[in-house]
Amino acid sequence: MKKLDREKPSTPISRRSFIKLAATAGAAAALPGCEPAARKLIPYVVPDENVVPGVPSFFATTCAECPAGCGVVARIREGRVVKLEGNPADPIGQGALCARGQAALQGLYNPDRLAHPQLRGSDGALRTVSWDEAGKMLGDRLTAASKAGKDRVAFFGSPQGPTFQKIALAFIGAQNSSRAIFYEAINQEPARGAAKTLFGRRDLPTYRIDQAEMLISFGADFLETWQSPVELARQYSLFRTPQNRRGALSIGRATYVGPRLSMTASKCDDWIATAPGAQADVAWSVLNVLVKNGKVSPNSGFDLAALTKAVANFDPAATSARTGVPAETITALGEAFGKADGALAIAGTDDSSAHLAAMILNSVTGNFGKTIMFFEGSPAEDTSTPDEVDAAVDAMRGGEIDVVFIAGANPVFTMPAAARIAEALQKVPFVVWAGGVPDETAAMASLLLPAHHPLESWRDTAPRAGVRGLGQPVMQPVFDSRPVGDILLAAAAKSSSAKLPWTTTAEAVKAEWLALASKAESPDSEDFWTKVRREGGLFEEQHLAALTLDTSPFKAAVPTAAQMQLSVYAYPHIFLYDGRGADKPWLQELPEPVTQLVWDSWAEIHPETARGLGVGKDDLIEIKTEHGVIEAPVLVASTVRPGVIAVPIGQGHRAYGRYAKDVGGNAWAILAAGATYAEATARATGTKRALVTPLGNADMMGRSIVEAMSIEQLAAGVLPESHEEEVTGPYEMYAPWKYPGHKWGMTIDVNACTGCSACVTACYAENNVPTVGKDGVDRGRIMSWIRIERYFPNATEAAEAPQLYLAPMLCQQCDHAPCEPVCPVFASYHTEEGLNGQIYNRCVGTRYCENNCPYKVRRFNWFVPEWPAPLNLQLNPDVTVRGAGVMEKCTFCVQRIQFAELNAKTEDRELRDGEIVTACQQACPTRAITFGDSNDPASAMMRRRDDNKLRNYRALEELNTKPAITYLRDLYREKGKA
Amino acid sequence: MSAIAIVSSFADDAECAHAIEQLRVAQVGDFNTFSPIPSHRIEHAIGKKKSPVRWIVLAGGISGILTGLAITIGTTYEWRLNAGGKPLLSWPPFIIICFELMVLLGGISGFTSVLALARIPTAEIAPGYNGRFGEDRFGIVVHCDEEQAERIESMMKEAGAEEVVREGV
Amino acid sequence: MAAAPKINTEPTFRDIDRSVLRVMEPAGLAYWAWIGFCFTLVGIGAAFWAHQIYAGLGVTGLRQPVMWAIYITNFVFWVGIAHSGTLISAILFLFRTKWRTAVYRAAETMTIFAVATAGLFPLIHLGRVWFFYWLLPYPNERYLQPDFRSPLVWDAFAVSTYLTTSALFWTMGLIPDIANAREAASGWRRKFYTVLAMGWQGTDRQWRHYSMAYLLLAGLATPLVLSVHSVVSWDFAMAQLPGWHSTIFAPYFVAGAIFSGVAMVVTLLIPMRRMLGIQDLLTEWHFDNLAKVILLTSLVVTYSYVTESFMTWYSGDPIEQMTFHMRYFGPWGPLFWMMVLCNCLIPLLLFSPRIRVNLVALWIISIFINIGMWLERFVIIAGSLRVNFEPSQWGTYHVTITEIMITVGAFAWFLGLFSLFSRFLPIISMTELKEGIVWLRKALKMDRVKAA
């Protein structure tokens, strides 16, 4: 208690609050983790006065798991980062963080990370070398190469922020070369291309779905992997929140056009199943309808005649004939889009055409500046163009390059077979690889250098105009690694006489940022430096760019959809993205929301097509395209269009650590450069490989687990048929238990839940939930405390219900918990604050509680859980690590409740509403989860409940378990209504 | 003062019981019997009142019930934990515990009381005991002194004793 | 041992003693080989258990949502077996049933060892067996006691009470017989029995208290036996899982218990009778009566099945109905129909008097019943767990070698103990047989008549 008082100023109050960040900035300056000099994790011999055992400190930094560039706040305990959460100050993530962001920790603590520099001998075997040796060798090679002539040294890496880009360019410049390639496998080239054609600029627009009332996505999985999922998901949930639009209560209308019912598509009202690549055709056709209906706003600057000519080939009937999409569907879509007060069309296809059409759609309906906008001062493009990439690879293949320095991007895995990158690398005498877990590219390198994880190094991001994220090291390096920037700078210094502006990344980043200080309001640069580190970046006003329309391109539009018998459509796995997530067990074990599959890749095939091919569930098929071959087990599902085989990208690693190696097949291998689909042939191999899922039965059987109602019903104030008779107060045999003080509860808005599973990963991280591997999941031992329920509407519902039911299921903390009275030893009991407590060290493991739990949310430790070092460093010290033989379950993050209550107590004040934020709630991009005190009618949680009375429901309410969680029904639009 | 023991054995309990009645008529009190089976005839003939074991068992049973109430109610109030929103005093389950303990203590007290009252375990062999009394013979051992001996022996023979032996003590 | 000397149809007390005590003469190699075999299996089972404790319950096939399966099935099965013993020894004693005397010692012995076997399984199935004693109330510094609302605590009390009480009852019955054995035996055996007999001499004083206590113990054991299996059934009835949550479970399980128990008695006695050469003490008359009990309880069990299904249909609860639909027609449907065949149809053969006294047929039928009753428990326990309230969490269960070997070990444990007993202590109560000698004579006459 005393200690806490002394530490009061540095005790954070809420993850959300600015004060906390301010208070910990002091510590930020002093924590050893921030001194690049320190290289080892050592136990405290002399304790650091900034590190108080048991008291976390928080550091703002940035997420490097995808180009979206969300800000994060890292929670540090005893000098090691134990949890990542969204940075509330960051305008993109706004405090939320997706599953991939959460899992960055397992990249940091990955047991397979390269621990020391290694050199590949002539026999191909690796031997550990010292940094000096490695540095010298690199220096010599570079000197030799740069002396040998111009452009004989190449840098090939992933974009790692503007400052890093500068360092890399400085490095390459010093090598008398200009070959610096920044490669992002999933890039925005088509979008940039479209912008270029239409507005003569290659930057990316910013979207405001929440400003629209109509949304069409032409194959953009904006809730999963497209551009900035967290931000767009948040906007989408606002878009779908019932609100009065022109006098009527309504939700935004969303349509998805694409080959697969992705998670995104499942959250839209309509899924228009087209062949991959046919989206453009539909997009132009929708435009055609608009043009015909004279919806082209006069001040949009378009020449109507030219436009009409451009869309001439896309009469709905014609398009329908080509794509099989009913003409009336397209017409209806076009009309709705024209009518909508605020509409947005986005495209995620690999061809510029769809992007162009979408952009024109937005433009002609005058939505630029409203639902989509270009801003002044967009950051410089951070990826090289395909031509530059090809040129570099050709140069390597041509033997024109002596040394290539690879940092990130894993080109051998992600580049299309056509690029023949592996072959090219073999032609390069000296390949240097710097990174974390040695991947397929490292396997081809002569010198392997352990690089800092982004969380260990200084870095910055520039996701878009007005947003600059600053990444600071949040802890000491776990391994004997160095920042890539430092390696480059050191090498450059050794190998050339060129004068470099900085010697370390830290120096470079600070210099770069102090240069920004002038722009910022605070004149004193040190204040500025503290401020930006505290807030995690510099976030400024954005200013709309003046757009100059170039109306030349419209002749270009011609039907593009090539007719294919059978095509394979590869989409980035929501959790593995381009493959970089595959080394993280949390992400491998997280069921893909739509298929619910784990630890594998699969071939999703429509029942018809499967019958045609004569294959069934789990049959291992060989999918062949002109580019390559991939094997995957069949998943027969109607979530994909007939004639299309959908395979996830991200698996199929042949290196990249124990968790990724030899799991599934690599879908990049069957694609052309920049393509997402290809014509394919498929044949059964005759063998089977069982796909593994924690899902038992996909049919909810009309049980009240996930419920939905139509917006029309909501507007009319009526309950869904199944619930017309109001639930009358259930018969009580006993006087209800009293909960003076707090009684914790939760409200979950199923309509807001997208199924993205950020909550699940957050729970794994916060509560030390172990992963069990493919076999474990197959044997029904998955440990997740919170899961995303996925149910298909059954035949009778299908006409009305949403495409899929998706909702989080966790311990309902029932007042009449069936699990409690059956426990012989009070290991499961009810706390004075209404929690369903589980006392691990009292549990004897009868497992009766789980038998009696209707929601099946309790998890049993069948074995002693394992976290191969150093993964164990991530374990949250506030939560017991359970041993074998005990039952465990969600406790509403009781440790966080305790933490907040203790703070309130030490500060001698009442607990504030919203002060306690559970891990799942914190992570949720759409804020679907609200936690609070149900004894306090004013709490946000209770208000959300009461403001949506008609949507309230409790899971399996008829059992009278009295859950502390109230769900808000999912909302859908009755089919055929505008 | 009984100096001798007269051991007489019978083929069945009817005769044995008859002999016992004779003894009681003759006011000879100091005797005991052996039998391979519990015989009601003999028990009636001896005419002792019912065994007090039943009261001990009753007491045992009642104490069991009380113990049950004590531990269930006691432990519940020792730490008032809420399980499933059920009231602290959930009688139905408590009754089960009480019942089981009633049976348990009743049974134990029954068994132990027999040991106590029947004076077993014991190492000493009662005078006149003979293996056959456990098998198929009913025996009566009368403790008397010289002058009564003759009379009793004849009494036994009349009653149908197969053999009558006189043992010095 | 020498071939059984034929007893004439007028056996005397002495004949009875002879034929019973002859069983207790030193045994031959075959017997010891059998004992050795049994306890080797026990050893193997124990090894698997040890490994399970060390590695964790993951070595079993248990999973979400089938948290209970083979182990609890075995527990209920063995507790059920136990019941007939007490039924025959206590309840039939109170009813003064005549044919009971020759059978009850064996039945009661079976009870003791069946409970001793059953008692192992709640321990084996625990996640942390080393804390099993937390289920019992005892003073502790944590002021923490078991929750008496939990059916598992009722179990702990009921089963331990049952074991203790029936052990006492059994011991009391043995004392006079052991005294007989003492007289007959010589050498170390005599010393052994002398100690066990505790100096019993059958004096009037001893008999007087003995008879009263025996009667009272029988009186206590009678409600106990009914309560124990009711409590066991409440492990399931008190849960709200569809397929478990049913008010008829108590009577339904008790009937099933007696059904399976008597069947097990028959399974054990028929071979034992021949091996120990006591045909003349265990007559067809006895088996005829046992068979009648089996038939009756079989009908009660069948009725329970019908009632259960009817109530499910009548309740109109779709979730309950889905559970039963899966029970009948789901992937485990065959188990259910196998159970119906064994428990409902095959026992109907016993309506035929000829089959009732055809010991080979009777033995085979009893085996079927044992299988059927084991299946019944498995279908109810694991089958209901598979199909719960939460379709997304449905999942099926596959047994593992660990569970099989531990189960085999448990069966061996039971048979081994029973076999040991049968040669070292009187397997038939001489005292009571003598008491009811008239009935034995009748029975023998009947046999002879049939034989002629």
Side-chain angles (χ1 to χ4, degrees), chain A residues 696-697 701 703 779-781 787 789 791 821-822 824 841 843-848 850-852 858-859 862-863, chain C residues 55 57-58 60 62-64 67-68 125 127-128 134 146-147 150 235 239-240 388-394:
Chain A
N697 189 319
M701 304 177 185
R703 301 178 184 182
R779 297 179 62 188
R781 277 95 185 265
R787 62 174 184 266
E789 293 278 36
Y791 287 111
V822 297
N841 55 359
C843 176
V844 296
T846 68
R847 309 186 297 292
Y848 198 171
E850 170 68 350
N851 287 347
N852 209 24
R858 300 180 143 258
R859 294 290 181 259
W862 301 101
F863 295 109
Chain C
L57 271 171
T60 67
L62 297 169
R63 58 166 292 163
Q64 295 282 347
M67 289 272 163
W68 290 357
H125 107 118
R128 301 202 298 172
W134 284 355
D147 181 357
S150 167
D235 285 351
Q240 34 168 244
N388 48 61
F389 284 110
E390 180 65 88
S392 77
Q393 296 300 294
W394 291 8

Side-chain angles (χ1 to χ4, degrees), chain C residues 1-75:
Chain C
M1 100 202 50
K6 266 272 158 277
I7 304 178
N8 59 32
T9 54
E10 288 291 327
T12 63
F13 281 14
R14 161 156 285 192
D15 300 326
I16 292 173
D17 276 16
R18 265 219 223 80
S19 21
V20 175
L21 292 173
R22 204 195 60 261
V23 174
M24 296 164 65
E25 287 158 8
L29 197 62
Y31 173 81
W32 288 112
W34 163 249
I35 296 292
F37 172 70
C38 286
F39 284 96
T40 313
L41 289 182
V42 173
I44 295 170
F48 272 93
W49 185 14
H51 174 251
Q52 174 184 302
I53 293 172
Y54 172 77
L57 271 171
V59 300
T60 67
L62 297 169
R63 58 166 292 163
Q64 295 282 347
V66 186
M67 289 272 163
W68 290 357
I70 298 277
Y71 293 153
I72 298 297
T73 303
N74 288 334
F75 167 67

Side-chain angles (χ1 to χ4, degrees), chain A residues 71 108 132 148 201 426 428 668 685 718 795 921 936:
Chain A
L108 170 68
D132 298 348
R201 52 193 297 155
Q426 275 158 355
V428 178
W668 287 116
T685 58
V718 297
Q921 169 188 14
D936 168 15

Side-chain angles (χ1 to χ4, degrees), chain A residues 451-470:
Chain A
H452 271 11
H453 186 275
L455 290 168
E456 294 167 328
S457 44
W458 286 96
R459 54 195 300 281
D460 55 4
T461 60
R464 74 155 101 105
V467 181
R468 283 198 67 141
L470 173 62

Side-chain angles (χ1 to χ4, degrees), chain C residues 124-440:
Chain C
I124 293 172
H125 107 118
L126 276 190
R128 301 202 298 172
V129 61
W130 49 96
F131 291 132
F132 75 96
Y133 59 90
W134 284 355
L135 270 72
L136 300 170
Y138 65 94
N140 62 76
E141 74 289 352
R142 301 185 302 281
Y143 293 97
L144 198 44
Q145 300 293 349
D147 181 357
F148 290 100
R149 300 182 197 87
S150 167
L152 295 183
V153 174
W154 312 345
D155 264 350
F157 275 76
V159 173
S160 46
T161 302
Y162 190 34
L163 184 57
T164 323
T165 314
S166 40
L168 293 176
F169 194 44
W170 176 74
T171 319
M172 279 202 72
L174 273 170
I175 293 172
D177 284 0
I178 295 177
N180 278 7
R182 172 189 66 201
E183 300 307 326
S186 58
W188 70 267
R189 286 165 166 270
R190 189 182 179 89
K191 292 200 188 62
F192 175 62
Y193 293 126
T194 312
V195 172
L196 289 190
M198 299 193 288
W200 178 269
Q201 292 152 35
T203 65
D204 49 295
R205 160 196 287 277
Q206 289 175 333
W207 281 122
R208 184 159 139 262
H209 302 302
Y210 178 92
S211 321
M212 173 60 70
Y214 198 76
L215 179 70
L216 292 173
L217 279 180
L220 284 171
T222 303
L224 175 64
V225 67
L226 298 182
S227 82
V228 169
H229 219 63
S230 305
V231 165
V232 169
S233 78
W234 291 334
D235 285 351
F236 312 106
M238 291 292 155
Q240 34 168 244
L241 184 74
W244 283 13
H245 188 57
S246 161
T247 47
I248 68 164
F249 263 34
Y252 165 17
F253 269 51
V254 171
I258 293 166
F259 179 48
S260 62
V262 179
M264 182 60 86
V265 173
V266 171
T267 315
L268 293 173
L269 285 191
I270 290 177
M272 191 180 85
R273 171 178 191 261
R274 162 155 288 116
M275 289 186 234
L276 304 184
I278 46 178
Q279 289 89 334
D280 291 317
L281 303 182
L282 283 173
T283 69
E284 292 181 348
W285 176 63
H286 293 107
F287 287 102
D288 184 49
N289 283 294
L290 286 167
K292 284 176 185 159
V293 179
I294 292 179
L295 180 56
L296 173 70
T297 45
S298 158
L299 294 175
V300 178
V301 166
T302 310
Y303 171 77
S304 307
Y305 295 162
V306 175
T307 316
E308 203 183 14
S309 312
F310 170 78
M311 288 313 296
T312 305
W313 166 77
Y314 189 70
S315 72
D317 172 356
I319 297 180
E320 185 89 7
Q321 286 170 346
M322 171 53 69
T323 299
F324 277 75
H325 175 84
M326 294 299 279
R327 183 178 291 181
Y328 303 148
F329 310 112
W332 287 4
L335 295 180
F336 174 83
W337 297 112
M338 177 75 182
M339 166 195 113
V340 170
L341 178 72
C342 297
N343 297 350
C344 309
L345 302 180
I346 291 178
L348 294 179
L349 293 170
L350 297 176
F351 270 113
S352 143
R354 283 190 26 267
I355 295 183
R356 283 207 300 271
V357 295
N358 175 338
L359 297 192
V360 178
L362 187 57
W363 191 74
I364 293 167
I365 292 173
S366 74
I367 293 291
F368 271 110
I369 295 170
N370 290 326
I371 297 169
M373 285 308 293
W374 192 91
L375 283 176
E376 179 200 292
R377 276 64 174 259
F378 185 77
V379 165
I380 291 176
I381 295 167
S384 306
L385 284 168
R386 281 180 72 245
V387 185
N388 48 61
F389 284 110
E390 180 65 88
S392 77
Q393 296 300 294
W394 291 8
T396 196
Y397 158 87
H398 302 288
V399 66
T400 64
I401 183 71
T402 306
E403 287 160 302
I404 293 171
M405 290 319 293
I406 288 180
T407 306
V408 170
F411 271 82
W413 163 255
F414 170 79
L415 290 174
L417 289 175
F418 190 84
S419 312
L420 271 182
F421 169 87
S422 68
R423 294 305 302 272
F424 285 91
L425 291 169
I427 192 66
I428 289 181
S429 166
M430 296 174 264
T431 316
E432 297 215 18
L433 214 48
K434 290 172 190 169
E435 276 186 276
I437 194 155
V438 272
W439 300 95
L440 178 61

